[in-house]
Amino acid sequence: MTDIVNGLGRATAYGALGVVLLVLGIFLIDALTPGKLGRQIWEERNRNAALLLSSALLGIGGIVFTSIWTTYDDFGKGLASTAAFGLLGLVMMAVAFLVVDLVTPGRLGATLVEQEPHPAVWVTACCNLAVAAVVSASIA
């Protein structure tokens, strides 16, 4: 019974940390794009904004998953490494976004939340997932 209680405690801690990192991902994408992201997705039904946010959430989720999966035997170290790699993933996604913005015409954030489908959204979404894969692969 003690193992179950300990497991539930660890799962709760990792789950809470994962939710915090996902919420930070939402704030990050919202900061990088003009307007309110929630309004664009839920009220205006903007598919570009939804794809962009979805890719960031999948990427962060993948990083958190990998970090938990390869976690240290020490619970505290595992929780700390999950937080560190999750934050690194968010920072690297933001850096990649800014680099893509520098090398493309116009303002990338504004392009990504246009109502009409735009291929730049797919490029940026793939960039989010690629960055997450690189960060995930670096976890050992």
Side-chain angles (χ1 to χ4, degrees):
M1 188 67 155
T2 303
D3 289 343
I4 293 172
V5 172
N6 285 338
L8 286 172
R10 289 175 186 239
T12 300
Y14 279 117
L17 177 58
V19 168
V20 166
L21 290 167
L22 291 170
V23 168
L24 289 174
I26 293 169
F27 286 129
L28 174 68
I29 298 300
D30 197 23
L32 292 171
T33 55
K36 291 298 293 171
L37 192 60
R39 180 174 294 125
Q40 291 175 17
I41 294 171
W42 280 271
E43 292 177 15
E44 298 173 17
R45 298 175 181 257
N46 187 320
R47 292 180 182 171
N48 289 339
L51 178 58
L52 179 64
L53 179 59
S54 297
S55 69
L57 294 176
L58 282 171
I60 293 302
I63 292 168
V64 170
F65 170 85
T66 303
S67 187
I68 293 169
W69 188 263
T70 61
T71 194
Y72 297 95
D73 289 335
D74 181 311
F75 174 63
K77 281 185 181 179
L79 205 57
S81 73
T82 300
F85 282 108
L87 290 172
L88 175 64
L90 288 168
V91 168
M92 297 309 295
M93 283 182 195
V95 168
F97 181 96
L98 295 172
V99 168
V100 172
D101 190 21
L102 283 174
V103 300
T104 56
R107 299 295 309 157
L108 182 60
T111 300
L112 298 177
V113 294
E114 291 176 359
Q115 283 294 339
E116 290 297 315
H118 199 289
V121 174
W122 289 95
V123 171
T124 307
C126 289
C127 187
N128 282 340
L129 296 176
V131 166
V134 168
V135 172
S136 292
S138 72
I139 300 171

